[in-house]
Amino acid sequence: MQLLSSPTSPYARKVRVVILEKGLADQVELLPGVPLGSDADAAPVRAANPLGKIPALIRQGAPTLFDSPVICEYLDSLGHGPILFPHEGEARWSGGRDGEGEREGESVREQERESARARGRERERERGARA
Ligand SMILES: N[C@@H](CCC(=O)N[C@@H](CS)C(=O)NCC(=O)O)C(=O)O
């Protein structure tokens, strides 16, 4: 299996934690995923996930999985050790929420948008200086 991910994605980090906790590190190759890069950089992510997001888990001979809760539960079903995502009972409803990750994700996205705006302003200044 191959995981498209990045160090800054909280969703991808959650999946990497599951990979480690479930003893699957030797079965999952980590590949860089750049969802918000240039068309060329983002192409592998868009090819793997129609939503153009990371994480995405590419499986040999089976459809690619995307959306971190789905990926996490799938990996949980494969690996060793205690179940991390209970299937039933109170434990199912009291754990595994994505709220923290979403807040962190929004903060990362805002930083990326601000970097893109700063690069745009820099390019404008360079064009102005050359004119
Ligand atoms: N619900 C998704 C959210 C994934 C997500 O938003 N990933 C961000 C990176 S942290 C992304 O790929 N964003 C690209 C975009 O929104 O186009 C999950 O849990 O995997």
Side-chain angles (χ1 to χ4, degrees), residues 9-11 35-36 52-55 67-69 109:
S9 165
Y11 305 102
L36 298 174
K53 294 185 176 194
I54 55 168
D67 218 21
S68 58
R109 281 191 290 280

Side-chain angles (χ1 to χ4, degrees), residues 28-122:
V28 184
E29 181 186 3
L30 300 181
L31 300 178
V34 188
L36 298 174
S38 66
D39 280 352
D41 286 342
V45 173
R46 292 179 190 153
N49 177 353
L51 301 174
K53 294 185 176 194
I54 55 168
L57 184 71
I58 301 167
R59 300 180 297 165
Q60 280 65 51
T64 294
L65 299 180
F66 44 87
D67 218 21
S68 58
V70 175
I71 297 172
C72 286
E73 288 207 39
Y74 173 70
L75 293 170
D76 199 15
S77 78
L78 294 184
H80 323 289
I83 290 290
L84 300 176
F85 296 86
H87 300 152
E88 58 193 8
E90 188 54 30
R92 169 129 181 91
W93 313 117
S94 55
R97 294 192 186 92
D98 272 352
E100 282 299 311
E102 279 167 21
R103 197 171 53 186
E104 206 183 326
E106 185 46 44
S107 151
V108 168
R109 281 191 290 280
E110 184 46 39
Q111 285 167 24
E112 288 169 346
R113 284 192 289 268
E114 180 48 37
S115 299
R117 285 192 290 267
R119 284 195 299 277
R121 287 194 296 271
E122 183 62 26

